[in-house]
Amino acid sequence: MSEKNSVVNYQWEYKTLRHDTSIMGYEKGMNDLSREGKNGWELVSTVATTSPTNSDTKYLCHYLKRKTGMFVIDLKEA
């Protein structure tokens, strides 16, 4: 008798939110991030960076992902 197993392989969509903390402030970026979370996006990481052309300009970059679909692969034992 054979057993049936399956493997799930998710497809992901990625995007970056970047905001200038000197212009928009920290709170505006967090509001944008909260809104994206309601649309199914998950926070992967947040990185603080400085503009290469102006050291006074600081950015927060939020890297996000969300599931766009999945494949289910059925495995059968011989």
Side-chain angles (χ1 to χ4, degrees):
M1 184 175 228
S2 64
E3 291 182 330
K4 186 175 179 182
N5 296 320
S6 61
V7 175
V8 177
N9 184 14
Y10 292 105
Q11 294 175 311
W12 297 94
E13 181 180 4
Y14 299 92
K15 83 178 194 179
T16 303
L17 285 180
R18 184 181 92 166
H19 65 276
D20 183 344
T21 56
S22 62
I23 295 173
M24 293 187 267
Y26 180 78
E27 195 170 309
K28 164 80 168 86
M30 294 311 291
N31 289 340
D32 290 347
L33 186 59
S34 177
R35 183 174 44 254
E36 292 298 333
K38 293 175 185 171
N39 293 329
W41 291 94
E42 300 174 39
L43 178 65
V44 176
S45 66
T46 298
V47 178
T49 61
T50 304
S51 171
T53 57
N54 184 355
S55 62
D56 293 333
T57 304
K58 309 287 186 201
Y59 294 103
L60 278 180
C61 297
H62 302 289
Y63 297 96
L64 308 169
K65 70 176 183 177
R66 73 174 170 186
K67 292 178 189 172
T68 58
M70 68 179 189
F71 292 112
V72 177
I73 304 167
D74 291 327
L75 305 173
K76 292 184 181 179
E77 189 177 315

